């Protein structure tokens, strides 16, 4: 077995990257290299984990401009937004993990019952081994590195496959990572379906996938062959309920921000608005006003408005708008496929059967669907796959309670959108069709660890003596007796 170096490689821009190594040696070699690094024990010490997290911070801060430029090239977003979402947010998470690393990874003592004898019980958070992280394109650096730093903090070796749909960001990750992180334990493999399929053939200890649900089931099927556990960070249609007791102006500002940032290419963006007829027209006016406040009268000229990642996706969005039953266009509607531009678009009174309501939009189109009342709104949501996020704008406690008790979703936010994912204390993930598992902060440590149950027997009394064969008359009498029943039903915790 190779005993690998714990030292990160010093920066050397001309150096061959690990992606080149992976391309020539193939997925099995990359897997083996990560697995060997893990089995060598190099990734377990807290000192190594800390060093890797600190190196991620250094990598991001020293190369913030390059990273920002790559994201701007891929998604045409404003550089400040790119910095905030791709660099600052990951630095913040790495620092948060560093701050709490010792506490989150230490053994947790538990009280054990006298029925198993005197001794000590504890839960040991163990790294899983070699972890595959498959990233998505919409926040190409963030969605790749956030799981990677969680996996490293938990003491794993990691292979990252960034999304080929954001090629400049993917290249940037493949170039920078081996210059800063331990090259034996952290690899970046670039590529698309073929490369991902080859990687998925390997017996990983965990696969963490971000992307759409169709590929999610391919990932799960491949992982099932090796009984590899998966985390699936998927998407879907996240609704925003707005009723007449909410401030329509504030609701509109929040929804416009969450929906049109990154031109709607955000997994937790409100996908559609659900409201009642008495509120719908006024809400549409407020949404239009909020849109103009953010992007001016011609969003195409706004430096703050992103482009669609590819002409393929721009064409897909044009198809949704052309489908006919998509309600009245309140604002927007223009598409320039070659320029990857789709105008921020608000559609009022959209038919639930419209194409735009059959799939996750993942673009800057906001349908407003009208329902009769709260019950109809709840039924509408519950008749569809469980959303990744659910947003509820209301001033009514009864409505809040109804959404809490009668719906299920990965997360729920009252009177705002999207901000929950910035709180590392809250688990980020889906349920049902929107995914399985979660991460961020301590939730990442849980996801990338196995919680091993450990019991160390003390020297004193061993009650299993009483239940060992042969069962003679005395033992049988004792086991049927009151004291034995009480002991089995719930005895006092043992002391060592
Ligand atoms: P994508 O096209 O980048 O695909 C994601 C990854 O899957 C890529 O690395 C890609 O190489 C790989 N892949 C694609 N086809 C594959 C195949 N046939 N076999 C194996 N691997 C394959 O991203 P996408 O799926 O277009 O991303 C958008 C979706 O992701 C949306 O549904 C969005 O809501 C969801 N999303 C979820 C989150 C979250 O955190 N829950 C975040 C971002 C995006």
């Amino acid at each position: 077995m190779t005993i690998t170096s714990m030292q990160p490689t010093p920066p050397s821009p001309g150096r061959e990257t690990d992606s080149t190594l992976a391309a020539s040696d193939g997925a099995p070699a990359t897997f083996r290299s990560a697995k060997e690094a893990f089995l060598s024990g190099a990734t377990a010490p807290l000192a190594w984990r800390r060093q890797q997290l600190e190196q991620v911070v250094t990598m991001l801060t020293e190369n913030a401009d390059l990273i920002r430029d790559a994201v701007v090239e891929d998604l045409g977003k404003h550089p400040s937004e790119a910095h905030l979402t791709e660099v600052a947010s990951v630095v913040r998470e790495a620092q948060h993990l560093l701050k709490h690393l010792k506490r989150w990874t230490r053994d947790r003592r538990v009280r054990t019952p006298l029925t198993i004898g005197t001794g000590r019980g504890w839960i040991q958070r163990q790294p899983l081994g070699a972890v595959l992280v498959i990233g998505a394109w919409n926040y190409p650096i963030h969605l790749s590195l956030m799981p990677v730093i969680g996996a490293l903090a938990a003491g794993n070796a990691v292979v990252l496959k960034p999304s080929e749909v954001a090629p400049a960001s993917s290249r940037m990750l493949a170039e920078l990572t081996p210059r800063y992180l331990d090259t034996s334990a952290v690899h970046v493999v670039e590529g698309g379906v073929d490369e991902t399929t080859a990687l998925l053939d390997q017996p990983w200890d965990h696969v963490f996938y971000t992307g759409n649900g169709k590929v999610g089931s391919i990932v799960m099927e491949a992982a099932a062959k090796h009984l590899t556990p998966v985390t699936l960070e998927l998407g879907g249609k996240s609704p925003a309920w707005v009723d007449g007791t909410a401030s329509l102006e504030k609701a509109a500002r929040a929804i416009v921000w969450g929906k049109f940032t990154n031109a709607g290419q955000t997994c937790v963006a409100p996908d559609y608005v659900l409201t009642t007829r008495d509120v719908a027209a006024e809400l549409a006016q407020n949404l239009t006003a909020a849109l103009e406040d953010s992007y001016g009268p011609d969003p195409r000229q706004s430096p703050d408005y992103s482009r669609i990642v590819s002409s393929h996706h721009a064409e897909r969005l044009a198809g949704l708008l052309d489908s006919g039953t998509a309600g009245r266009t309140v604002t927007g509607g223009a598409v320039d496929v070659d320029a990857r531009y789709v105008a921020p678009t608000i559609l009022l009174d959209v038919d639930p059967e419209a194409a735009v309501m059959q799939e996750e939009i993942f673009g800057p189109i906001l349908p407003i669907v009208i329902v009769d009342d709260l019950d109809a709104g709840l039924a509408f949501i519950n008749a569809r796959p469980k959303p990744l996020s659910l947003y509820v704008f209301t001033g009514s406690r009864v409505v809040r309670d109804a959404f809490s008790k009668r719906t299920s979703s990965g997360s729920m936010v009252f009177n705002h959108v999207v901000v929950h994912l910035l709180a590392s204390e809250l688990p980020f993930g889906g349920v049902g069709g929107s995914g399985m598992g979660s991460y961020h902060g301590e939730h990442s440590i849980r996801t990338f660890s196995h919680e091993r149950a450990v019991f160390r027997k003390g020297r004193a009394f061993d009650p299993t003596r009483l239940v060992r064969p042969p069962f003679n008359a005395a033992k049988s009498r004792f086991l049927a007796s009151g004291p034995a029943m009480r002991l089995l039903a719930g005895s006092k915790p043992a002391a060592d």
Side-chain angles (χ1 to χ4, degrees):
M1 184 172 299
T2 319
I3 305 293
T4 50
S5 157
M6 284 172 52
Q7 297 305 314
T9 319
S12 59
R15 210 175 151 272
E16 194 182 50
T17 68
D18 269 53
S19 54
T20 325
L21 175 140
S24 54
D25 291 5
T30 314
F31 167 75
R32 266 199 312 278
S33 169
K35 188 79 179 183
E36 281 174 7
F38 174 75
L39 291 174
S40 75
T43 66
L46 283 192
W48 182 88
R49 306 186 200 188
R50 277 209 185 91
Q51 187 191 42
Q52 298 307 300
L53 292 173
E54 280 159 5
Q55 284 294 102
V56 169
V57 173
T58 308
M59 175 175 90
L60 290 171
T61 42
E62 284 185 0
N63 300 282
D65 291 357
L66 290 175
I67 293 169
R68 194 195 56 202
D69 292 350
V71 175
V72 170
E73 187 182 328
D74 285 330
L75 286 145
K77 61 168 78 179
H78 192 281
S80 300
E81 190 186 307
H83 182 82
L84 213 63
T85 56
E86 307 287 323
V87 177
S89 60
V90 185
V91 167
R92 187 173 155 269
E93 173 79 354
Q95 288 167 338
H96 187 61
L97 288 165
L98 275 164
K99 186 171 168 202
H100 299 287
L101 193 63
K102 194 168 174 195
R103 188 159 57 84
W104 288 345
T105 54
R106 72 175 173 220
D107 295 344
R108 281 164 172 65
R109 178 95 193 265
V110 293
R111 288 152 74 98
T112 50
L114 256 183
T115 37
I116 68 167
T118 55
R120 266 173 189 264
W122 67 93
I123 296 167
Q124 179 192 12
R125 284 190 174 168
Q126 288 193 299
L128 296 168
V131 169
L132 174 64
V133 171
I134 304 172
W137 54 263
N138 57 327
Y139 291 91
I141 305 289
H142 178 112
L143 293 172
S144 296
L145 290 184
M146 288 289 273
V148 165
I149 59 177
L152 295 175
N156 298 282
V158 185
V159 174
L160 164 66
K161 212 297 293 172
S163 174
E164 73 283 13
V165 183
S169 305
S170 172
R171 191 91 284 268
M172 189 53 56
L173 284 166
E175 278 174 17
L176 292 178
T177 306
R179 287 170 45 199
Y180 287 86
L181 301 186
D182 181 340
T183 50
S184 59
V186 188
H187 302 266
V188 178
V189 177
E190 288 196 87
V193 176
D194 291 348
E195 289 77 4
T196 318
T197 306
L199 285 168
L200 283 169
D201 268 348
Q202 309 308 311
W204 300 97
D205 295 297
H206 194 91
V207 175
F208 188 107
Y209 164 81
T210 303
N212 68 74
K214 274 195 194 117
V215 175
S217 32
I218 294 173
V219 169
M220 204 168 167
E221 205 177 323
K225 289 196 186 109
H226 303 288
L227 293 179
T228 296
V230 293
T231 303
L232 300 180
E233 294 286 339
L234 311 179
K237 292 180 90 63
S238 295
W241 166 265
V242 185
D243 68 26
T245 64
S247 157
L248 297 189
E249 192 198 331
K250 283 186 187 156
R253 281 186 194 285
I255 291 170
V256 161
W257 171 66
K259 177 73 184 188
F260 297 105
T261 292
N262 206 25
Q265 302 163 111
T266 303
C267 57
V268 286
D271 184 272
Y272 64 98
V273 170
L274 207 52
T275 191
T276 46
R277 193 160 295 283
D278 53 325
V279 174
E282 197 183 336
L283 179 60
Q285 275 170 17
N286 277 279
L287 288 164
T288 310
L291 201 52
E292 196 166 330
D293 273 0
S294 292
Y295 302 109
D298 182 5
R300 194 172 181 147
Q301 306 306 326
S302 166
D304 300 319
Y305 188 64
S306 303
R307 294 300 181 260
I308 304 305
V309 72
S310 64
S311 44
H312 158 73
H313 277 284
E315 252 166 42
R316 176 182 65 81
L317 293 163
L320 291 181
L321 285 173
D322 287 346
S323 68
T325 48
R328 179 166 74 79
T329 305
V330 179
T331 185
V335 179
D336 179 344
V337 169
D338 291 339
R340 296 187 281 134
Y341 173 76
V342 176
T345 300
I346 295 170
L347 306 169
L348 181 58
D349 205 0
V350 171
D351 185 338
E353 299 308 316
V356 83
M357 290 304 297
Q358 306 313 307
E359 60 178 72
E360 179 183 4
I361 296 168
F362 219 56
I365 304 169
L366 183 66
I368 301 174
V369 175
I370 297 174
V371 289
D372 286 343
D373 53 20
L374 172 65
D375 280 342
L378 294 169
F380 191 94
I381 292 166
N382 288 333
R384 289 162 174 75
K386 293 177 183 175
L388 183 56
S389 285
L390 176 52
Y391 303 116
V392 182
F393 290 86
T394 184
S396 157
R397 180 195 291 237
V398 173
V399 174
R400 281 200 299 275
D401 280 357
F403 274 94
S404 292
K405 290 179 184 143
R406 293 167 61 191
T407 64
S408 173
S409 56
S411 51
M412 181 163 61
V413 180
F414 293 111
N415 301 323
H416 214 322
V417 299
V418 177
V419 289
H420 59 296
L421 68 84
L422 301 173
S424 298
E425 293 72 17
L426 293 171
F428 181 66
V431 58
S434 54
M436 62 184 69
S438 63
Y439 71 133
H440 288 184
E442 190 176 6
H443 310 285
S444 292
I445 304 287
R446 283 208 192 98
T447 287
F448 291 112
S449 303
H450 165 61
E451 296 205 319
R452 173 150 77 170
V454 188
F455 181 67
R456 193 183 76 210
K457 171 83 183 69
R459 255 175 280 169
F461 171 65
D462 178 3
T464 60
R465 267 182 15 217
L466 299 170
V467 292
R468 275 183 222 147
F471 288 100
N472 54 30
K475 274 187 190 173
S476 300
R477 257 198 319 279
F478 171 73
L479 288 173
S481 72
M485 286 303 194
R486 277 196 295 281
L487 197 66
L488 288 170
S491 59
K492 283 189 192 132
D496 195 3

